[in-house]
Amino acid sequence: AEYGTGQVAGEGEQLVCGVCRGNCFGQCKINVHVRDGKVVKTSRRPFNSWPEGGAWDRICLRGLSHPYTVYGERRIQYPMRRAGERGSGQWERITWDEAIKEITDEWKRIQAEYGDQAVAYTRGSGNLASINGVGSPLFNVLFNKINATQIKIARDQANTRGINRVVGSLGDWVLNSTQDYINSKTVFVWGANITDAQAQDWPHVANAVEAGVKLVVIDPIYTQLASKADLWIPIQPATDAALTLSMMYVMIDEDAINKPFMKDHTVAPFLVRSDTGKFLHMSDLGVAPREVPVEAQATNIDAARSSSVNYGATGASAGAGTKLIDPYAVLDADGVVKAVEDATDPQLEGTYQFGDVECATAYTLLKEEVMQYPPEKASDICKIPAEDIVELAHIALDGPCIHRLGWGSNSYTNGVHAAHAAITMAALTGQIGYSGAGTGACNWNSGSGTNMLLPNMTAAKNPLISALFLPEIMRTGKYMGKDHPIKALYVYSGNPITNQVNTNEYLNDILGNLELLVTADYTYTDTVHYSDIVLPACHWFEAEDIVLLTGAQCYEYNAKAIDPLYESKTDSDILRLLAAGMGYPDLFPLTDEEYCHKILDTPALAARGISFDELKEKEDLYYKSTKPWIPWAGNSFMTPSGRMEFYVEEPELQFDMGQEYDRDREHLPRYFNPTEAYEGSPQWDKYKLILLSERPRFRVHSMFSDNKYLRELDPEPTVKINPADAEARGLADGEYVEVYNDRGHAVAKLVYNDAIRPGCMVYPKSWQMSQHKAGCWSELLTSAYDPVGVNESYFDNLVEVRAWKEA
Amino acid sequence: MVDKRLAIVVDTKRCIACNSCAVACKIENNLPNEVWWNRILNVGGSNMDSPSGTYPNLSMQTITLSCQHCENPACVKVCPVGATYKDPETGVVRQDYDKCIGCRMCMSACPYTGVRSFNWEEPGYHVDFAVGDADVVPHQKHTVEKCTMCWHRLAKDLQPACMEVCIGRARFFGDLNDPESEVSKLIAKRQYIQLLPEMGTKPSVYYLV
Amino acid sequence: MTDTSNVAVLDDDMDFAPAKERAGAKAAAWGGRGLTVGIGVAAVLTAIGIALWAVQLSGGMVQTAMRNLDSWGLYITMFMFFVGLSAGGLIISSVPKAFGIRGFGGISKVAVMSSIACTVAAIGMVVVDLGQPLRLWELFAYSNLGSPLMWDIIVLGTYLILSCVYLWAQVRAEQGKVSHTALRVISVVALVCAILVHSVTAWIFGLQQGREMWHTALLAPWFVSSALVCGTGLVMCVAAALRAAGYLALDQANLVRLAKLLAAFVLVDLYFFGCDLLTEAFPAAGGLAVVEMLTAGPLAPFFWGEVVLCAVAAVICLVPSLRTTPLMVAAGLCAIVAILCKRVQLLVGGFQIANIGLPGPVGPMTVTGWESGMAGAYQGMVYWPAPIEWGVALGVVALAVLVFLLGVKFLPLRPQD
Ligand SMILES: Nc1nc2c(c(=O)[nH]1)N[C@H]1C(S)=C(S)[C@@H](COP(=O)(O)OP(=O)(O)OC[C@H]3O[C@@H](n4cnc5c(=O)[nH]c(N)nc54)[C@H](O)[C@@H]3O)O[C@H]1N2
Ligand SMILES: Nc1nc2c(c(=O)[nH]1)N[C@H]1C(S)=C(S)[C@@H](COP(=O)(O)OP(=O)(O)OC[C@H]3O[C@@H](n4cnc5c(=O)[nH]c(N)nc54)[C@H](O)[C@@H]3O)O[C@H]1N2
Ligand code: SF4
Ligand code: SF4
Ligand code: SF4
Ligand code: SF4
Ligand code: SF4
Ligand SMILES: [Mo]
């Protein structure tokens, strides 16, 4: 017989449909093997939506290690109250009743004393599910009800911001499905470590490469992916924008840009007023805007389109009505300024004197910027040969090409512009919106048509606050100039103390000013360690749930495999208890199953044959309109003009706390230095190594960090260095070193590795503090942020390294 | 019936050293602590994921190493009691824990460094019940073990666990004596290397390069 | 070089006069308090060794320094060594009888007794190395006759039995119960068996295609020559010691003849060593690494130790003016230690170069010095024994000493006077 793939249930064994769902962008469907009531194994479970195997049914080493995650030593078993000093690790076991009473009494006291906003809640991305995870609107139901403040993690937003401000939003991370890569001629990977961080996408990339698609990897580090590439561009960190601008220089210089596309689908011909920085409209020229009717917007909002939304806050529906149409003015071939619709041949280049206001086409302005980056100059900045830049431009012109942007350039304070530049290049080539052509971060976004407006959902009274603003708010007690003290924080599905930048600031300014930190988790994390009260949450396999934002672009069903272990409770049950404690025993009138129905049983989904019952039966349901999905097909962009607005009229801030920013700079993609990670930065005298992190294949952030199966393979914190840099500092392979800067330090084992760019160090991220001999990686990270992106810039750091002598 | 020669083909161009096959093997076979029948090794530098060459002129390759189920196994010849033996019907080199006297002849005989492991102590486990497949033979102290080619799965007409999970879709399994099998076709079509061919063991693992 | 070729056909220590038989038997019960103390100490050490062995078995061999990549250690080193040592006595004793040449003056039976003791030690070393000694019976039930280990077990067992028979035969011959011819036949068989034992032990290593260092056709003859070196060294030391203890009288000339023999064996052994090194190194392929590892790598102390000690032994034995009793004993000791160095080189050396030394995950069961990774583990000697191994090995040695001393005390091993 042929030996097939698959799994069979042994005697007395059950195969339950589960979903592995940490934030690795995988959300793999897996078999949870249950024997004698125990999870004995996990294995891959095929997607029904992809009978041809196109989703690459999968499970990785982490997903395989769940038996330990469920039963591990560090599992939190019962509610605990801090017994000693914060962070002393001394605990007292308490009952659920005591815990809930203590938390809600404190919340009530704090709210009475400091105002409702003083109770805050935040999450990371520990569970992507929609009942008990970060995609769940249930949290908003409770916390909006008590007018708490939602703190939003500030991450993964720079590339999104840079791209979405040009094309509009179909979600935070939007690109052609990986299955479509095979239809391109070249796949450019800009700072995405696909082979480690999105391994579930690798087989698609590998298929493309096998089929002859060229792979170009732009990364300072020689990653596994780089080793598979046809061309690896070892770029100087934080200089992607300069490289992209220079590629555009070559395209323009060689007159190889796609002019018809630019005229039809971009703002290139639009005239920009030098006084306001805005597009010239026909109304400016005295043509009155037209009024047109618009249809009512659906009240449904998409599930977890971005990593964090407050469903209550964004849930208001836009009613039917009318809107004004004020056409954009362009310069026609005959030299006359006309409405863009009326022009026969809108000019890409040119200026126009509008009264005393000078106007130039958006393309003219872009070109001015681009022409500052001839390859020779970019070569100096990016530290790559000028010929390579020319070659890259030629490859990029010879489309269709996919440009996949990862979180490399996203992790510096100039990251928004790297993405802005990349998507602008797509505007010049027109390679977007069709098979094999696209620019964006990975394709990880949800479907539409779900309903997040659950019963008793109220609108949020307080604004969503970025976690990056939190230290300042905690120090001053003010937000946007007004009193806004925060005194209690509830953390679920997240481990901010390990994963957020600048740990010492977090511990001092945030924690130091908190009166109550409550964490719900199933494992003992750094955040748990510093908490006042800890609540034992369930592991994913211990409750039924739905996952609506997934790497396979399917809604997925997670059946309950085992009963909650020890005294753990589902997050939804914890919410029910907290609601009762706050005086709202009827806030959650439905069971979890009924909530699943509420979320999925919408008319919009029904029209596509999707419902909760259907999902339960089929386990997974594809939620995109086409397979593979090609965003921006038909080139209708979700911008005011419907075009690619590479010239940004009014830059939107990711979060607004009244921070200052340079509006002019934001109009166009530009290259400028990041905050710290460049030669000659203010810290350069003291520190000469740029510190980068790596998404470890042995963890998803801090998840699995205590998993003993994986620890056998990867036992302790390490940091990689180019041997030349190590030898210059007299450091030997394998010795313990202290990496340090003004903000803090971390001790790890030094690993010689020629893949590391000289001048850089790379650490596999997210070991818990207790796993380091001293310090931790996040201590070293800057909390400086770009005022527009308001994004944590994990790589924008300089450090030095020295031998570590154990005290 | 023609006897089989079951073989593993690993496409190093698709393998990304993710270690999933190693972990799958670990759990499926309920391997004791610190025992790994399948390990991911780096060809190039002196550490995991480290390339050879000097930045930026670098190259890197990965080898997943487990028992090669040699056609001419060095281990079988030296075992004094036949505790390691070749299954004539499949070519799988098997291990009988109950028979093994723990002399470790096979360990020094096998040229493929580290594919055999000895339980130097009473097998310990990270969780207090047996994980993996229920039909896996229990491990024993002071005996030698190694990749069984997932014999318990072959018995159910299933491919080995490490094939099933491979993230890179880089692992292939089948019968080399069947010219129509995927593995036969792959090695007919692609360039491959074998490990230590000069040892004359005729390994049944092929690495496509 | 030596004069053994033209010695008269004469038995060394055998007097077939029946009259002396009772006296000979009487002589068996020899030894004063010193011997009794010796026996006591050996017995205690043996008991400690057995206790430690029990600890090793119950607590696990994880207590040894052996690991997956260096899966044999002190025990197998000592096994090789004792097999070698055992040779000497038997060969020294049987060669003269087998070929009808002059012997070495009264030491024949003691020499065989030392062989027996060494064989016991060798077998003991294998047994303590086994993970599942209780399954030893399987060797007979499921014997894989293709396995060199199986051959070795058969040959070693035969060898032990033969040695006993041979000893018994000599005693009986003294009593006139065994004919000279029969004794001669037995001695020839014993001699062949001795050679076989060394060859087969060598094949345990030499037939392994997986280890560059071991895989050489020379290994068997070389094992024989090494056995002769240390065996002769041992006989010399034992003889001198017993003479000093007054157990037997020994002509200085016999000691000198042994020394001359030793010199010849050392030179042959060094010759093999040279041949092997050249063959390894000449193709400048994998073998070169072996040679480099030996001469300049972590095993260099053992390599140079062997070379220097052999040279010293040879010089002492070849220069007539140096052949004083203390120096000859020193030469014997040098020869023994030199061969011990050789055994260490062979065993550790076989593991010192990993065929597939690629970096990957390593753990506490992979290799002894795993903490510093694959590269780090091979920085020095990949293996060095753990305390328990020293203890258990010492116990096995003590057992051998015990056997020997008991023999000395209770068996009629003294030459008749
Ligand atoms: N140095 C450095 N730091 C970084 C980054 C970097 O590149 N470098 N990257 C950053 C990025 S992009 C991200 S997204 C963040 C991720 O940061 P986090 O979202 O904080 O990541 P995790 O460590 O996965 O934390 C998730 C926690 O949720 C818990 N959990 C899982 N499921 C459940 C559940 O159902 N209920 C409850 N209550 N808890 C659950 C897990 O046990 C775990 O402790 O890290 C950031 N930190
Ligand atoms: N196993 C695992 N997978 C994960 C995660 C995990 O923790 N573990 N985390 C998940 C999460 S939340 C996220 S956000 C994603 C992020 O996944 P990725 O996008 O892969 O992000 P990083 O690994 O942070 O950085 C990607 C690459 O950018 C390179 N790089 C650094 N600086 C620059 C630069 O200036 N320019 C360019 N071009 N490249 C640069 C780095 O060397 C790295 O190889 O991964 C997800 N996947
Ligand atoms: S950790 Fe991520 S890639 Fe691995 S199985 Fe889970 S969801 Fe899939
Ligand atoms: S790889 Fe080693 S253990 Fe496996 S069959 Fe070949 S010789 Fe035997
Ligand atoms: S250790 Fe076991 S399997 Fe290996 S040779 Fe000895 S008896 Fe055979
Ligand atoms: S075939 Fe089975 S036993 Fe062998 S390496 Fe693969 S998973 Fe492990
Ligand atoms: S699972 Fe596949 S890709 Fe991953 S290490 Fe194993 S062979 Fe390579
Ligand atoms: Mo992220």
Side-chain angles (χ1 to χ4, degrees):
Chain A
E2 264 308 299
Y3 297 97
T5 54
Q7 296 291 331
V8 290
E11 274 269 301
E13 188 171 308
Q14 259 180 298
L15 263 57
V16 183
C17 175
V19 181
C20 184
R21 49 186 194 264
N23 190 9
C24 65
F25 307 178
Q27 290 75 49
C28 304
K29 217 176 124 183
I30 57 184
N31 290 307
V32 181
H33 296 238
V34 180
R35 203 160 61 225
D36 301 330
K38 300 235 159 112
V39 176
V40 291
K41 178 178 140 180
T42 45
S43 61
R44 93 184 146 118
R45 188 173 179 102
F47 280 85
N48 296 318
S49 309
W50 298 88
E52 69 285 20
W56 289 104
D57 313 328
R58 66 217 169 204
I59 185 166
C60 78
L61 69 164
R62 304 173 298 270
L64 287 160
S65 70
H66 275 299
Y68 189 88
T69 307
V70 176
Y71 300 99
E73 273 166 20
R74 289 165 68 94
R75 179 87 195 245
I76 304 208
Q77 306 193 350
Y78 40 76
M80 303 191 293
R81 178 202 291 132
R82 166 163 73 82
E85 288 276 285
R86 235 191 219 147
S88 67
Q90 287 167 327
W91 300 99
E92 194 181 326
R93 177 177 183 166
I94 54 177
T95 64
W96 270 104
D97 287 346
E98 286 171 309
I100 296 298
K101 180 159 187 338
E102 209 163 309
I103 294 167
T104 52
D105 282 356
E106 266 301 275
W107 284 358
K108 287 178 204 156
R109 176 190 66 80
I110 286 169
Q111 287 194 319
E113 209 169 317
Y114 302 99
D116 286 357
Q117 84 295 325
V119 169
Y121 67 114
T122 194
R123 62 191 177 216
S125 43
N127 173 355
L128 266 292
S130 283
I131 298 295
N132 293 298
V134 299
S136 169
L138 297 178
F139 292 88
N140 302 136
V141 170
L142 170 66
F143 287 107
N144 286 356
K145 182 80 186 173
I146 65 170
N147 297 322
T149 305
Q150 185 179 350
I151 310 293
K152 185 196 181 293
I153 48 174
R155 46 183 72 133
D156 302 344
Q157 290 299 317
N159 47 16
T160 296
R161 188 104 314 255
I163 289 170
N164 286 10
R165 70 185 185 180
V166 173
V167 291
S169 175
L170 282 173
D172 274 359
W173 305 287
V174 173
L175 182 61
N176 308 35
S177 308
T178 351
Q179 291 87 342
D180 182 48
Y181 291 10
I182 200 162
N183 300 318
S184 67
K185 228 174 189 167
T186 302
V187 172
F188 284 78
V189 179
W190 298 76
N193 185 6
I194 294 177
T195 38
D196 277 326
Q198 295 97 40
Q200 66 281 356
D201 283 346
W202 163 246
H204 302 289
V205 179
N207 284 354
V209 170
E210 224 167 71
V213 175
K214 196 179 246 177
L215 177 64
V216 176
V217 172
I218 297 125
D219 200 306
I221 309 302
Y222 188 68
T223 56
Q224 280 283 344
L225 185 73
S227 78
K228 313 277 184 199
D230 297 280
L231 189 60
W232 168 50
I233 304 294
I235 195 173
Q236 170 70 19
T239 64
D240 294 48
L243 172 58
T244 316
L245 286 165
S246 192
M247 286 166 69
M248 288 193 264
Y249 174 103
V250 175
M251 294 172 179
I252 292 173
D253 191 49
E254 295 181 1
D255 199 21
I257 56 175
N258 186 339
K259 288 177 186 163
F261 180 87
M262 290 178 70
K263 285 177 185 171
D264 293 345
H265 299 296
T266 78
V267 294
F270 288 10
L271 287 163
V272 178
R273 297 175 56 139
S274 60
D275 57 345
T276 58
K278 300 213 168 199
F279 294 128
L280 187 71
H281 283 267
M282 292 313 286
S283 62
D284 293 324
L285 301 166
V287 181
R290 283 175 295 138
E291 203 170 308
V292 293
V294 286
E295 283 170 33
Q297 297 272 301
T299 47
N300 297 332
I301 12 160
D302 297 352
R305 242 196 195 170
S306 68
S307 62
S308 190
V309 277
N310 186 314
Y311 299 106
T314 50
S317 65
T322 57
K323 83 174 183 194
L324 290 178
I325 297 282
D326 182 3
Y328 296 90
V330 295
L331 206 57
D332 204 356
D334 56 11
V336 181
V337 172
K338 298 180 187 158
V340 62
E341 294 84 353
D342 302 335
T344 46
D345 183 17
Q347 295 300 289
L348 287 177
E349 283 184 75
T351 54
Y352 170 66
Q353 196 69 30
F354 168 60
D356 26 332
V357 179
E358 245 185 89
C359 299
T361 66
Y363 178 60
T364 303
L365 298 175
L366 173 69
K367 195 171 162 186
E368 245 170 58
E369 185 66 26
V370 167
M371 292 329 249
Q372 294 176 42
Y373 294 93
E376 298 69 34
K377 183 172 166 197
S379 166
D380 280 350
I381 299 171
C382 309
K383 306 281 194 296
I384 46 181
E387 313 86 82
D388 287 6
I389 300 179
V390 176
E391 192 193 344
L392 284 176
H394 292 163
I395 299 174
L397 284 168
D398 183 18
C401 296
I402 297 278
H403 293 267
R404 172 160 171 158
L405 274 54
W407 279 255
S409 59
N410 174 86
S411 296
Y412 308 89
T413 53
N414 60 5
V416 170
H417 285 261
H420 188 169
I423 192 77
T424 301
M425 189 160 72
L428 296 197
T429 61
Q431 293 179 33
I432 190 166
Y434 59 97
S435 183
T439 294
C442 64
N443 177 25
W444 194 54
N445 47 76
S446 67
S448 58
T450 53
N451 165 45
M452 294 293 163
L453 292 179
L454 301 182
N456 296 330
M457 175 80 89
T458 50
K461 196 180 116 195
N462 291 300
L464 211 62
I465 288 179
S466 167
L468 275 168
F469 295 158
L470 199 56
E472 176 73 12
I473 293 171
M474 299 299 289
R475 281 190 293 261
T476 61
K478 290 192 192 317
Y479 168 68
M480 304 267 277
K482 293 203 200 79
D483 281 345
H484 195 112
I486 290 175
K487 293 293 171 188
L489 186 62
Y490 181 83
V491 180
Y492 65 98
S493 279
N495 180 11
I497 294 186
T498 305
N499 292 314
Q500 220 145 296
V501 292
N502 206 339
T503 315
N504 287 321
E505 185 182 54
Y506 202 99
L507 293 178
N508 295 331
D509 295 357
I510 299 180
L511 237 59
N513 288 304
L514 271 185
E515 294 180 12
L516 180 68
L517 176 61
V518 180
T519 302
D521 207 313
Y522 57 73
T523 193
Y524 194 93
T525 65
D526 286 339
T527 307
V528 164
H529 187 69
Y530 281 98
S531 295
D532 301 306
I533 292 186
V534 181
L535 303 176
C538 284
H539 183 271
W540 310 330
F541 304 155
E542 293 162 13
E544 182 179 46
D545 217 321
I546 49 177
V547 187
L548 307 180
L549 169 58
T550 72
Q553 301 148 71
C554 295
Y555 296 135
E556 293 172 30
Y557 175 70
N558 177 89
K560 176 175 165 174
I562 53 168
D563 285 330
L565 284 187
Y566 317 111
E567 287 188 18
S568 68
K569 287 190 188 297
T570 62
D571 290 80
S572 62
D573 277 344
I574 298 176
L575 284 173
R576 289 181 178 96
L577 292 175
L578 289 170
M582 291 305 281
Y584 306 106
D586 306 322
L587 195 63
F588 297 103
L590 308 181
T591 62
D592 286 359
E593 199 183 351
E594 287 165 336
Y595 281 121
C596 290
H597 279 291
K598 271 269 177 280
I599 290 171
L600 283 174
D601 297 349
T602 69
L605 291 183
R608 290 156 51 198
I610 295 175
S611 67
F612 177 57
D613 286 334
E614 185 73 7
L615 181 62
K616 212 168 156 171
E617 190 195 318
K618 300 265 170 64
E619 302 171 357
D620 58 272
L621 296 168
Y622 189 68
Y623 57 61
K624 289 292 187 195
S625 44
T626 56
K627 207 193 256 186
W629 187 58
I630 316 281
W632 314 118
N635 292 324
S636 71
F637 298 96
M638 291 184 65
T639 51
S641 63
R643 292 165 173 248
M644 293 180 80
E645 299 193 355
F646 61 79
Y647 179 90
V648 177
E649 271 191 301
E650 203 49 75
E652 241 182 82
L653 306 185
Q654 181 76 22
F655 282 95
D656 191 354
M657 193 170 87
Q659 70 268 36
E660 280 181 14
Y661 70 100
D662 178 354
R663 182 169 171 271
D664 285 346
R665 186 184 81 179
E666 298 305 317
H667 287 317
L668 286 165
R670 315 207 195 252
Y671 169 72
F672 49 90
N673 283 326
T675 300
E676 194 172 302
Y678 65 99
E679 184 175 339
S681 84
Q683 296 291 311
W684 185 252
D685 287 346
K686 284 155 85 179
Y687 307 110
K688 296 216 164 32
L689 292 165
I690 298 177
L691 183 68
L692 312 178
S693 66
E694 166 186 285
R695 314 279 162 173
R697 65 186 72 126
F698 301 104
R699 290 180 296 287
V700 173
H701 305 294
S702 68
M703 278 168 36
F704 305 96
S705 62
D706 54 6
N707 191 296
K708 289 199 174 164
Y709 296 120
L710 302 177
R711 294 294 67 76
E712 284 188 16
L713 296 170
D714 177 43
E716 62 178 328
T718 52
V719 60
K720 306 183 196 176
I721 193 168
N722 187 288
D725 283 334
E727 278 152 19
R729 288 165 179 77
L731 300 171
D733 192 14
E735 77 172 300
Y736 286 103
V737 293
E738 179 185 32
V739 182
Y740 64 97
N741 63 16
D742 289 354
R743 289 176 289 270
H745 74 153
V747 173
K749 203 169 196 165
L750 191 69
V751 174
Y752 277 22
N753 190 327
D754 281 290
I756 308 305
R757 184 182 177 81
C760 297
M761 285 183 96
V762 177
Y763 60 92
K765 76 180 283 278
S766 290
W767 289 95
Q768 311 265 353
M769 270 179 198
S770 56
Q771 294 174 304
H772 280 275
K773 285 187 176 280
C776 70
W777 293 122
S778 300
E779 279 189 17
L780 295 151
L781 309 189
T782 180
S783 51
Y785 55 88
D786 163 36
V788 176
V790 194
N791 191 47
E792 293 189 314
S793 295
Y794 304 107
F795 303 166
D796 206 345
N797 311 287
L798 286 176
V799 295
E800 259 311 324
V801 56
R802 59 191 166 210
W804 163 251
K805 307 263 175 302
E806 207 144 351
Chain B
M1 197 187 88
V2 187
D3 286 341
K4 287 181 180 166
R5 182 171 165 219
L6 293 182
I8 293 174
V9 173
V10 185
D11 186 345
T12 61
K13 290 194 164 173
R14 296 185 72 108
C15 172
I16 52 171
C18 72
N19 276 268
S20 300
C21 50
V23 176
C25 176
K26 175 102 177 172
I27 310 270
E28 172 79 14
N29 292 292
N30 191 33
L31 295 189
N33 297 346
E34 300 297 344
V35 174
W36 295 86
W37 287 350
N38 183 18
R39 291 169 308 128
I40 282 59
L41 307 180
N42 171 251
V43 185
S46 54
N47 288 302
M48 278 159 90
D49 299 311
S50 68
S52 59
T54 316
Y55 191 97
N57 302 308
L58 305 166
S59 72
M60 187 157 68
Q61 205 191 13
T62 300
I63 290 288
T64 67
L65 184 66
S66 55
C67 172
Q68 308 282 301
H69 295 279
C70 305
E71 213 183 336
N72 180 26
C75 54
V76 166
K77 273 182 266 181
V78 300
C79 178
V81 294
T84 182
Y85 61 103
K86 195 165 124 184
D87 176 67
E89 266 168 46
T90 56
V92 172
V93 174
R94 302 193 57 199
Q95 198 70 20
D96 183 341
Y97 307 152
D98 286 335
K99 256 191 186 178
C100 176
I101 60 171
C103 66
R104 310 188 299 296
M105 270 298 274
C106 51
M107 293 181 88
S108 36
C110 170
Y112 301 95
T113 311
V115 302
R116 290 185 159 263
S117 65
F118 183 69
N119 286 320
W120 297 95
E121 57 189 336
E122 189 62 47
Y125 303 92
H126 293 312
V127 295
D128 59 9
F129 52 89
V131 298
D133 197 283
D135 297 333
V136 162
V137 182
H139 303 274
Q140 293 185 19
K141 175 179 165 181
H142 289 179
T143 59
V144 169
E145 49 182 55
K146 65 167 189 75
C147 158
T148 63
M149 217 172 233
C150 284
W151 189 259
H152 63 282
R153 285 177 63 88
L154 300 184
K156 299 169 198 170
D157 283 338
L158 292 176
Q159 293 196 347
C162 55
M163 306 292 145
E164 163 97 7
V165 303
C166 176
I167 283 277
R169 294 299 192 277
R171 297 176 83 81
F172 304 89
F173 177 77
D175 176 12
L176 279 185
N177 286 347
D178 171 6
E180 289 309 304
S181 69
E182 195 177 19
V183 284
S184 295
K185 285 184 185 152
L186 275 170
I187 64 169
K189 188 173 75 184
R190 293 267 307 265
Q191 273 203 325
Y192 62 81
I193 55 162
Q194 290 203 281
L195 297 180
L196 309 176
E198 68 277 14
M199 298 291 176
T201 43
K202 300 198 189 140
S204 301
V205 179
Y206 292 75
Y207 298 90
L208 304 179
V209 290
Chain C
M1 279 179 289
T2 56
D3 54 356
T4 49
S5 52
N6 55 2
V7 290
V9 178
L10 188 77
D11 272 300
D12 55 352
D13 55 348
M14 257 172 266
D15 185 338
F16 292 92
K20 287 190 176 167
E21 114 190 342
R22 243 137 248 143
K26 275 246 153 61
W30 175 89
R33 239 183 111 234
L35 188 56
T36 316
V37 169
I39 289 173
V41 169
V44 169
L45 287 177
T46 305
I48 293 177
I50 291 173
L52 285 174
W53 182 37
V55 170
Q56 170 180 303
L57 284 176
S58 60
M61 293 178 78
V62 67
Q63 299 164 93
T64 72
M66 295 182 275
R67 293 296 182 265
N68 290 343
L69 302 196
D70 42 349
S71 50
W72 278 339
L74 182 63
Y75 302 147
I76 299 298
T77 310
M78 296 308 271
F79 157 67
M80 278 195 266
F81 177 64
F82 277 107
V83 169
L85 272 186
S86 75
L90 200 84
I91 292 176
I92 293 298
S93 142
S94 61
V95 163
K97 288 187 199 27
F99 297 107
I101 51 177
R102 181 154 63 90
F104 299 89
I107 56 170
S108 178
K109 282 175 287 174
V110 173
V112 176
M113 190 63 225
S114 78
S115 280
I116 292 174
C118 289
T119 310
V120 166
I123 293 174
M125 290 295 176
V126 175
V127 171
V128 297
D129 186 67
L130 288 181
Q132 296 282 357
L134 291 179
R135 295 183 186 168
L136 260 176
W137 60 271
E138 291 183 0
L139 285 171
F140 308 101
Y142 307 121
S143 335
N144 168 15
L145 293 176
S147 165
L149 184 63
M150 202 59 225
W151 307 344
D152 207 35
I153 283 160
I154 294 170
V155 177
L156 257 185
T158 314
Y159 182 61
L160 181 61
I161 294 166
L162 255 175
S163 301
C164 295
V165 168
Y166 181 42
L167 183 64
W168 169 83
Q170 287 189 55
V171 173
R172 296 295 282 172
E174 281 174 2
Q175 298 165 344
K177 298 270 167 66
V178 169
S179 78
H180 193 188
T181 325
L183 188 63
R184 189 157 177 176
V185 169
I186 296 177
S187 58
V188 170
V189 174
L191 187 62
V192 170
C193 196
I195 306 262
L196 257 186
V197 143
H198 298 102
S199 305
V200 171
T201 304
W203 292 333
I204 288 192
F205 303 91
L207 294 184
Q208 300 209 346
Q209 69 240 60
R211 312 259 160 193
E212 176 89 43
M213 186 177 175
W214 297 345
H215 193 44
T216 155
L218 196 59
L219 210 62
W222 191 7
F223 257 61
V224 176
S225 74
S226 297
L228 289 171
V229 169
C230 63
T232 311
L234 181 71
V235 170
M236 280 168 72
C237 295
V238 169
L242 289 179
R243 183 173 69 181
Y247 182 76
L248 45 69
L250 184 71
D251 259 6
Q252 187 68 1
N254 281 326
L255 209 56
V256 169
R257 284 176 55 233
L258 280 171
K260 289 180 186 167
L261 254 188
L262 178 64
F265 293 150
V266 164
L267 293 177
V268 170
D269 200 50
L270 281 177
Y271 168 69
F272 283 158
F273 201 177
C275 290
D276 189 61
L277 286 176
L278 184 64
T279 315
E280 292 266 28
F282 193 77
L288 189 59
V290 173
V291 174
E292 276 168 1
M293 177 256 296
L294 287 178
T295 54
L299 287 166
F302 295 91
F303 174 87
W304 294 112
E306 179 191 355
V307 171
V308 169
L309 289 167
C310 279
V312 169
V315 167
I316 292 177
C317 296
L318 286 175
V319 178
S321 60
L322 294 179
R323 292 183 201 133
T324 62
T325 305
L327 279 181
M328 283 192 290
V329 168
L333 286 173
C334 281
I336 295 172
V337 177
I339 297 307
L340 188 58
C341 284
K342 151 112 275 142
R343 297 301 173 228
V344 173
Q345 285 167 62
L346 248 172
L347 188 115
V348 180
F351 295 104
Q352 188 74 38
I353 295 177
N355 285 336
I356 303 178
L358 301 174
V362 287
M365 296 307 146
T366 318
V367 64
T368 314
W370 69 279
E371 294 90 342
S372 40
M374 275 294 268
Y378 289 90
Q379 212 106 95
M381 272 171 77
V382 67
Y383 164 84
W384 187 253
I388 193 163
E389 290 171 85
W390 291 115
V392 172
L394 189 65
V396 177
V397 174
L399 175 68
V401 171
L402 182 65
V403 167
F404 181 72
L405 293 183
L406 286 175
V408 167
K409 191 169 165 94
F410 296 113
L411 294 179
L413 302 181
R414 287 181 76 182
Q416 340 268 247
D417 29 33

